Amino acid sequence: MSNDPLVETGLDELTPMGADLDGAGPYDLGVDAGGRLLAETAALVAGHTGEVVHGPVAPASVDTERIRDWLAGFDFAEAKPADAVLGSVMSALRKWTVHTTHPRYFGLFNPSPTWWGMAGDLIVAGVNPQLAAYSHAPAATEMERHVLRLLANGLGLPSDTDGSFTVGGAEANLTAVIVALTRRFPEYGSAGLLGLPGRPVFYASAESHLAWLKIAHMTGLGRDAVRLVPVDAALKMDLDRLREAYAADVAGGRIPFMIVGTAGTTGAGVLDPLGPLADLAAEWGLHLHVDAAWGGAAALSDRLRPLLAGIERADSVTVDAHKWLSAPMGAGVFLTRHPAALAASFQCSTGYMPAEVDGTHDPYTTSVQWSRRFIGLKVFLHLAVAGLPAVAEQLERDVRLGDLLARRLAERGWQRINQTPLPLVCVVDPEADAAGEERSGRWHAEVAGHVVRGGQAWVSPVRLDGRSAIRLCVTSYRTTASDLDRAVAALDAARAATSLT
Ligand SMILES: *Cc1c(COP(=O)(O)O)cnc(C)c1O
């Protein structure tokens, strides 16, 4: 037995003097061929973006068998020409994807990504700065700080607001729970939940994004710790029910630590009453988190910002740049006015990380993530090239399109059941709505399915506080007024083809 680990692999015998190690390895295409590959890829993406408009928004069905058959052709046993592989991948994505880049995708806040955002993601993939340690990526880290500060400012948060880019809203909301627990219970970090004198609970509306349940599971709070407060007739958190739940929890020896206000619910785009929630949070000494994953972008329009009134009093806020700011996916933001609590939540030091730079902090000490992609560049490039006036114009255009959509649907006899200034319209057919929850649920789901199978538009069935409806959200900057007309026509045709059973 040798004590040289290489001997066991046999690698020591290949060319002992290493003469063959002086040239390029198998990954090193060289700059010219690599550059051609990226240019060809960019052309395919542009081609895709152009062509997607002319095809169906979504495949007529989910075809798992055919996708697996196609994949059987990839055993990776040998090299293949890049153009053949890229072409095959793009065609698979074209056939077997719901196209969020389509102007008639009226879906779940997945935007058509801006070109600046796509360019940003390409740069990040290529330059690949490591945003764990400040000293490794000072330019990237400062660019992110610059964008975070702009957002904090727009939201009316104080100048020492700190935060981080996240992969999305769920990570930002997870961060909020960790920071809120750490603020309220300094012992949480070392002793954990078992070290607390009672069971912590928090409040969010029944219409809030249910990532809260996963977060409660992950943090050890347990899913029952999420108090889903019923909503009022306008689908906003019912403040009387919140008071009742709080009183019952305190009387029962549980320890409330946070209230979540949602600024733009996922189902109906409704904004919880943020000012009154801030009053209650102050009265009870609770952390107020505002989940503005979708609606928070309104902070960048002078006209729309007042819709978020009260958010400036939040202890922390979630905003997703990959929703209403149209960044390619993988861009959320967490902001908090409590930098010390953020630092306490994620503090860590190791023997191998580079030393901190004075006057800065290492991003991995204020984030759930460690190695981190330069998420903020796609947002920075978008803002720097397009400029804030274009951002405001797009947001306001979307709001006007939402209003137009609501009016077009009303003209055709659809009844709107959600109230929101945001471009999200939920409608029912009055006759189906009156037919009882079960029949109404079946009918509205069938009509939405009919529209999707027809390929003309993507809309979805939704249940709002138990009432079934069809949900249409303007999410693509490519949507125009005539796209609204085509979506309404597709809905009308689906209604005519669907009987109430
Ligand atoms: C989308 C959304 C989330 C989850 O965000 P991801 O980016 O999907 O992780 C949380 N809250 C609200 C209100 C949302 O709209």
Side-chain angles (χ1 to χ4, degrees), residues 85-127:
V85 175
L86 286 171
S88 180
V89 165
M90 291 304 286
S91 125
L93 288 172
R94 185 74 186 286
K95 272 185 285 193
W96 296 315
T97 299
V98 174
H99 292 296
T100 60
T101 59
H102 196 293
R104 287 191 301 284
Y105 173 74
F106 294 100
L108 301 166
F109 307 145
N110 304 302
S112 294
T114 64
W115 296 99
W116 311 292
M118 289 187 245
D121 256 359
L122 180 58
I123 293 173
V124 169
V127 178

Side-chain angles (χ1 to χ4, degrees), residues 297-312:
L300 297 184
S301 150
D302 290 340
R303 280 204 164 102
L304 301 179
R305 186 178 306 117
L307 300 176
L308 301 172
I311 204 169
E312 71 286 352

